[in-house]
Amino acid sequence: MKVAIVGAGAIGAYVGAALHRAGADVHLIARGPHLAAMRQHGVRVHSPRGDWTARVHATDRPADVGPVDHVFLGLKAHSYAACGPLVEPLMHEETSVIAAQNGIPWWYFHRHGGPHDGQRLESVDPGGSVSAVLAPKRAIGCVVYAATELEGPGVVRHLEGTRFSIGEPDRSRSARCTEFSDAMVAGGLKCPVEPELRDDIWIKLLGNISFNPISALTRATMLQMCRHRSTRQVIELMMRETLAVAHALGCRPDISVERRLAGAERVGEHRTSTLQDLEKGKPLELDVLLAAVVELADITGVEVPTLRTVDAISDLLARGVAA
């Protein structure tokens, strides 16, 4: 099995190192000092499960890699429309794209079934620009429950979790999903193939849609947001509105608002990825987290006043960062 990791940052390099350990033919696509360090020393993983190093091929030239069986995307969702030059040399007719993104993916209604089958979401696929580069038929969904960070160039700190749930948009258990799952498991990770992966998407989104924008607006940690009574109430409203949209689309995420809040509080003084991006002056990945759910609310007729308010304010913040 030949795999290219496009955007081999903290998550991508961790996955690539695990697949390499399983015997897959892995190629990391990266750049800058991080690329140089991986070329010289390999991917060095520091983890509570034990430290290890994987001598994985790393390059900034996808054309030197050629067509692969699976492309694992570690890029932020707002980079997808422009990633054509990175992914096109890696594609053959059957190449799959496994996108490790938060939020609502561009393929959400591909082979969905029901009244919205095939519908495009403008917030995540503006003008079809993402689908033009990453054809929905190639997509395998992926929900990441692992937490990692780059401790330095070429050095991945694995904090917790090893689960990467994957699934086909049409809910089938395909050979390509099984192949990728088996390799991930052989590399020491959990990779269940979930027929109803959209339920997992909503479970993960329940926290991202609320804590991420609120943290960027307030500069607060998870613990601070959970323990500030009024902010906690706003987050609870956002979560309940999100669940209402999920239910209107036929999904039944198996988690309660109370359980999600309790889990977030246990995380402690953690700064969300959106807050970290804000502090670094990077674009904020809020369209797929928040704007997409507001668009889905419009499609389904669900009232989401709290989500609309936070979306309007956080969009102004995001535009200021991008300016």
Side-chain angles (χ1 to χ4, degrees), residues 102 207-217 222 225 272-275 285-286 289:
N102 289 320
N208 290 145
I209 198 173
S210 51
F211 289 110
N212 286 51
I214 295 295
S215 69
L217 291 165
M222 298 287 282
M225 289 184 282
T272 70
S273 58
T274 302
L275 176 55
E285 192 181 33
L286 291 176
L289 300 183

Side-chain angles (χ1 to χ4, degrees), residues 210-211 225-226 232-233 235-236 239-240 255-266:
S210 51
F211 289 110
M225 289 184 282
C226 287
R232 186 185 180 102
Q233 289 174 344
I235 288 170
E236 183 176 343
M239 288 185 175
R240 295 197 185 283
I255 193 166
S256 68
V257 168
E258 292 75 16
R259 182 180 160 198
R260 193 67 184 82
L261 283 165
E265 190 167 357
R266 286 195 299 272

Side-chain angles (χ1 to χ4, degrees), residues 16-192:
L19 290 171
H20 179 268
R21 187 162 62 171
D25 180 12
V26 180
H27 304 266
L28 307 179
I29 311 299
R31 61 186 181 182
H34 181 50
L35 170 61
M38 292 191 294
R39 279 174 163 168
Q40 185 172 359
H41 303 292
V43 178
R44 290 173 287 178
V45 178
H46 296 167
S47 170
R49 307 170 75 219
D51 299 346
W52 48 286
T53 298
R55 296 280 181 176
V56 189
H57 175 247
T59 181
D60 57 358
R61 293 173 55 85
D64 292 347
V65 175
V68 300
D69 300 308
H70 305 281
V71 170
F72 184 92
L73 276 186
L75 303 170
K76 293 282 191 177
H78 51 67
S79 301
Y80 288 177
C83 75
L86 291 175
V87 301
E88 286 166 7
L90 304 170
M91 298 294 190
H92 59 59
E93 187 63 30
E94 302 299 325
T95 301
S96 78
V97 174
I98 303 164
Q101 72 161 95
N102 289 320
I104 301 296
W106 82 100
W107 54 262
Y108 189 87
F109 284 124
H110 175 64
R111 305 190 72 177
H112 178 272
H116 309 298
D117 189 76
Q119 186 163 343
R120 179 177 60 82
L121 293 173
E122 184 66 22
S123 51
V124 300
D125 189 11
S129 57
V130 176
S131 293
V133 175
L134 305 171
K137 70 177 183 179
R138 294 188 181 277
I140 292 175
C142 180
V143 179
V144 177
Y145 292 97
T148 61
E149 62 184 21
L150 280 182
E151 198 165 75
V155 182
V156 176
R157 170 68 63 179
H158 170 232
L159 303 172
E160 62 176 358
T162 59
R163 182 155 63 100
F164 294 76
S165 297
I166 63 172
E168 289 284 358
D170 67 358
R171 304 172 182 85
S172 65
R173 188 177 180 88
S174 65
R176 64 181 188 171
C177 275
T178 301
E179 176 186 57
F180 188 80
S181 171
D182 288 348
M184 291 280 277
V185 171
L189 304 179
K190 297 176 182 177
C191 190

